[in-house]
Amino acid sequence: MVGKGKFWSVLFITIMLILSGCSGSAVSNSKSNSSGEKDTIKIGVILSSTGTFAPLAESIKNGFNLYLEENDNKLGGKKVEIKFEDDEANPQVALRKYRQLVKNEKVDILVGPISSAVAYALRDEVEKDKIILIDANAAGNDLSWSKKSDYIYRLSFSNWQNGSSAGEYLAKNVGKTAVAIAPDYPAGKEVVSAFKEAFEAAGGKVVKEIYPKLGTNDFATYLTDVAQVKPELVFTFMAGSDGIRFVQQYNDFGLKGKIPLSGPMEFGDQLILEPTGEAAEGIISGILYSPWLENEENKKFVEAYQEKYGKLPNTFSVGGYDSAKVIDIAIKEAGSTNAEDLIKVLKGISFDSPRGPITIDPKTNNPIQNFYIAKNTKKDNQIVPEVLETVEKVTMPEKAPAN
Amino acid sequence: MSLSIFSVQLLTGLAYGMLYFMIAAGLTIILGVMNIVNLAHGTLFLLGSYMAFTFMNQQFSFWIALLLSVAVTAVIGIIIEKLFIRQIYGKELEQVLLTFGLAFVIADTAKWIWGTEPQTMAVPALLDSSISIGPMVFPFYRLFVVLIGCLLALLLWYFESKTRIGAIIRAGVDDRAMVSALGINVGVVFTGVFAFGAGLAALSGVLGGPLIGMYTGMESDILVTSLIVVVIGGLGSWKGSFIGAILIGLIETFGKIWFPSLSMLIVFLLMVVVLIIRPQGLFGREVA
């Protein structure tokens, strides 16, 4: 027989623990001796290493570490002391970790975060403390618009860029009517609205927008909806395991091959291509990076990455790699680790990334970069995003488009 | 809503319901017989599906991978029961701490072995087709999952009511002291029950692989859902879990159509309603 009281307390404790995300596995690995000497710099990296964002965090960390390794653990000629912290994708936890890094550890530069909610939470703090934050991932548009800060520079891409890059190509070459599907959270809405703007400007029409809950297991409901609406194409923004399930179920429910599937960079990225395999064949996406991009920088990067980690890099690994690289170049150019000096060189800084040339646009603190329209194609038993067209210098508008 | 869409949704709901049933059945049987809420149950689901993934990468077929990973997880269940749980029968707080701690250890070990990238499993070739329902198609694999769930229910029913072991287990639920006084080795029964529950969790994990995939954190998602199933069905009753799991599967699926942003809330709401009307759960017995 089961005591009711006991079961309830157990259930209550469990649910509280799980819902409060009590997954405190800190991943700090400090490199020993902290000296006050001027020839070392301290970098704090805040990523979401537990939960859904874990694979992104791992890729960014791998990319960052690879750059350090290639440069004898030095950035801008200074020895690097690095601290990794896990924010659990929770702005409150992130603020705590931030204070730890800035007040106790006295880090010189911050790198991070994955989640835009965390980035917005950190924004006012870095302004107040005058600490440079190199944004290795968070894609929220407002970091370039209403919440733009002189202290924050994005090395990844914005939701606006990611959503709009393929819009024109799709309207001109694939179909005029689209159903857009994205998770029901700010990034989902931002990507879809950027897609809609670009797609409709090129003569297309988004006939239906569907927003499933983030972390949806099953898309049967939405896919039957699509089958009924019969658009000329489907544009879907889904990341991580949601994206994998979506691609697989699009195939399972017989839509693959009937209605072309398209999406932003996620659907042409290794994180989704590798697990989904053939189910991802034929998807058209607007990517900013692939291990098969042909340029010197990328050849070197892919080789070194594969050697160190035994797998192909993805778009997020490049974000991590470039975050280290931009710090390296900025310190060299500024000849200082002082935030005000760094700001002067970070605005408008250009360099060659494995994804191609990028320039931080001083109007938005967001990279001006090429996007590539790619179609997932089978080559040597592997699904590869084959580039169909290059969209040169995708630049975020200075202000949010009025609509 | 047309009939064909309705049928597709119904079958989808049933397929998920059956996955929930398989994992919740193990949880509830362990709870009923051994009086333990196994909070590490979700991680056994996780282990099952990751192991099958590895076996399939070693060129084993889906079926062999399924059998192997269920067997290995059952053995892990035996080890956990003999090594840890045996020490703390009847000590409730210790059980919570232990199984919750185990959940962390297993989940982190899995992360260490398999990494954090989300993975998925291919549908076995034999079932990789779909049937037409009006203008819609429905993946055959999901029908197979529904079928396995029903077979499991039938098997449990037979086992419980027609076999000697079933009788011992039923007796053990009611009066443990009496059963051991009759000369039955309760320890062996407990180990067996725990291994069986672990195997069921792995079965559900493997069958869920092609549907849900594998990702870090899935163990707590599935644990919360299966605890709700157990509560709705009545603590310790697998029949209750069967009905509860189907209810949850259907409510999640249809909830997504009718109240897209509230589907998880509706599941909790169902739990609240059931508890108000029948605090012991649908099939639970009144407890003193």
Side-chain angles (χ1 to χ4, degrees), chain A residues 1-4 6-8 10-11 13-15 17-19 22-25 49-56 58-59 184 211 213 215-225 227-228 240-241 244-245 248-249 251-255 258 271 274-276 311 314, chain B residues 2 5 8-9 12 16 20 31-32 35-37 39 92 95-96 100 104 108 111 115-123 128 130 136-139 142 173-174 209-213 215-216 220 223-224 227 230-231 235 253 256-257 260-261 263-264 268 275 279 287:
Chain A
M1 289 220 289
V2 178
K4 242 195 293 183
K6 169 208 162 184
F7 185 80
W8 280 114
V10 168
L11 184 66
I13 293 169
T14 312
I15 290 185
L17 282 170
I18 293 169
L19 293 183
C22 170
S23 41
S25 66
S49 314
T50 42
T52 15
F53 289 134
L56 276 60
E58 194 184 299
S59 307
D184 190 9
Y211 295 102
K213 176 170 74 82
T216 294
N217 271 345
D218 201 85
F219 299 99
T221 310
Y222 312 108
L223 294 173
T224 45
D225 224 14
Q228 271 198 314
S241 49
I244 293 171
R245 283 191 289 258
Q248 213 171 19
Q249 291 173 12
N251 182 34
D252 291 347
F253 280 91
L255 290 176
K258 273 195 198 146
L271 274 181
E274 226 171 78
T276 51
K311 52 187 165 191
N314 56 44
Chain B
S2 76
I5 295 185
V8 167
Q9 303 301 349
T12 295
Y16 278 86
Y20 297 150
L31 176 66
N35 211 359
I36 280 186
V37 181
L39 298 178
E92 288 150 10
Q95 288 170 359
V96 174
F100 202 65
F104 275 122
D108 266 21
K111 207 160 138 184
T116 52
E117 281 104 352
Q119 301 290 1
T120 188
M121 231 183 263
V123 171
D128 195 8
S130 46
M136 306 292 171
V137 297
F138 189 77
R142 294 177 177 220
V173 172
D174 285 336
L211 293 184
I212 308 175
Y215 55 96
T216 45
S220 41
L223 182 68
V224 170
L227 282 172
V230 169
V231 170
L235 312 182
T253 306
K256 263 188 263 176
I257 310 177
S261 49
S263 55
M264 195 63 202
F268 280 104
L275 287 177
V287 280

Side-chain angles (χ1 to χ4, degrees), chain B residues 148-230:
Chain B
I148 294 288
C150 293
L151 278 179
L152 176 69
L154 210 64
L155 189 79
L156 286 177
W157 168 80
Y158 176 80
F159 206 60
E160 186 185 46
S161 51
K162 305 281 176 195
T163 65
R164 189 179 129 79
I165 300 173
I168 294 173
I169 288 176
R170 266 181 296 145
V173 172
D174 285 336
D175 195 335
R176 203 169 306 165
M178 196 60 199
V179 172
S180 46
L182 288 172
I184 290 161
N185 187 343
V186 180
V188 172
V189 174
F190 279 14
T191 309
V193 165
F194 199 83
F196 181 68
L200 281 185
L203 176 71
S204 159
V206 182
L207 292 179
L211 293 184
I212 308 175
M214 290 85 83
Y215 55 96
T216 45
M218 77 189 290
E219 71 282 358
S220 41
D221 293 354
I222 201 81
L223 182 68
V224 170
T225 312
S226 43
L227 282 172
I228 294 173
V229 167
V230 169

